Amino acid sequence: MKGLVVVLALVVVVLAATTARGELRDQAPPGSRPHSVTITEFGAVGDGRTLNTVPFQNAVFYVRSFADKGGAQLYVPRGRWLTGSFNLTSHLTIYLEQGAVIVGAKDSSQWPIVEPLPSYGQGTDLPGPRHRSLINGYNLTDVVITGNNGVIDGQGLVWWQWLLSHELNHSRPHLLEFLYSEDIVISNLTFLNSPAWSIHPVYCSNVKVHNVTIETSLDAPLTDGIVPDSCSNLCIEDSTISVSHEAISLKSGWDKYGISFGRPTSDIHISRVDLLSSSGAALAFGSEMSGGISDIHVNHLRIHDSYKGISFKTSPGRGGYIEEVIISEVQMENVHVGIEFTGNCSTHPDDSFDLSDLPTIDQVTMKNMVGTNISVAGVLSGIDNAPFTAICLSNLNFSMAADTGSSSWSCSNVSGYSEAVFPEPCTELRDPSSSPSICFSLSSYSAIAAA
């Protein structure tokens, strides 16, 4: 009976929407979709107080009928549209007008509990299930989330407080998450105050994120910006990210769960982004990388006012690999540690990891980097009996902070090649037996791919 009431209510809303397309409908911007509806047609109220979870759910349910007719656009006009978690559908464009703000509800019951990701085995904050993200896509194709600099605000403060006071029962939600989806575009939006991560594509392909701004409080706990996770053919461009933990973090699963799931992150392009990370790394690889990370091309970064610039993290028990990475044209300003490689990031989802599952890091090239006010140029620490290899540095010039000690570099269990690097790197990166050819071949490959 309850289901019948919901369906009847939806039919009434849809009939009203189709017979009286009000003035707001006429103001919807033209798009590529042949059909368009406005969230107000489903009873939504943009006063920042009225809960609009059901209107968003009903709107998505309605536009499914256009999936085989070219899809539809859901227009969100100016206002503050309070909502709990809702799902998307294929062949959908959500357009947030300037002044439109989708606001996440502070009531945790509006963020349903779902199973952990199979490549993680548990939530990232706590064992067991996790809260579903604010906006979700599962097994979708052809979805666009865009606007005229509209805003998606997760009101994360209450979640950060629950985490710090150990009041959470399940892991925090993200703002926007796609699973098993393809042909996704996220553009021209601002993401604020995510409870955890702002944009999380996982098990996805053909994803483009461009012209977005992401911000959280710089003292918020463990808030990340964009986290490509077991994804392929993904592009991040022309964006600004300012968060507490890691601005962009590439991942591919956690320990035995990621090894078993076996889906790598590969063919990733990152270009023209401005990054700030107050307590983590502006650009991070791992530490959850058990499915592997490879074929990564990064250029034209500005990293500033961050604890770490570029970080590669893993641990015994992770398995997996990070290889064929080229990073170039980087400007760093006011960064404590410019470059980090660590094989001792020892967090694990449970006690069943196998220390014999040793990860590898190989064929990483960083070139054409300039840094000012850098406290430590690099800390590179590999794994005993599994050193990180073919780390190639070319044309790096770091201006060190005034209080820097005598040693700008620290290295162990690593090997590689360097040229035109200042301050002069540690001897492990100046091994005369290391061939520079792999560095130059990777650089040439990256130039061809970028063209």
Side-chain angles (χ1 to χ4, degrees), residues 95 102 196 207 212 222 297 320 350 372 398:
Y95 188 98
I102 293 178
V207 178
V212 301
L222 300 175
H297 313 280
D350 51 42
T372 58
F398 289 162

Side-chain angles (χ1 to χ4, degrees), residues 108 130 392:
S108 64
R130 61 196 184 110
C392 309

Side-chain angles (χ1 to χ4, degrees), residues 52 238 306:
N52 296 294
D238 302 304
S306 297

Side-chain angles (χ1 to χ4, degrees), residues 13-36:
V13 169
V14 170
L15 287 174
T18 56
T19 57
R21 293 294 192 200
E23 184 180 359
L24 282 173
R25 164 69 183 281
D26 297 332
Q27 294 174 353
S32 59
R33 306 294 185 184
H35 307 279
S36 179

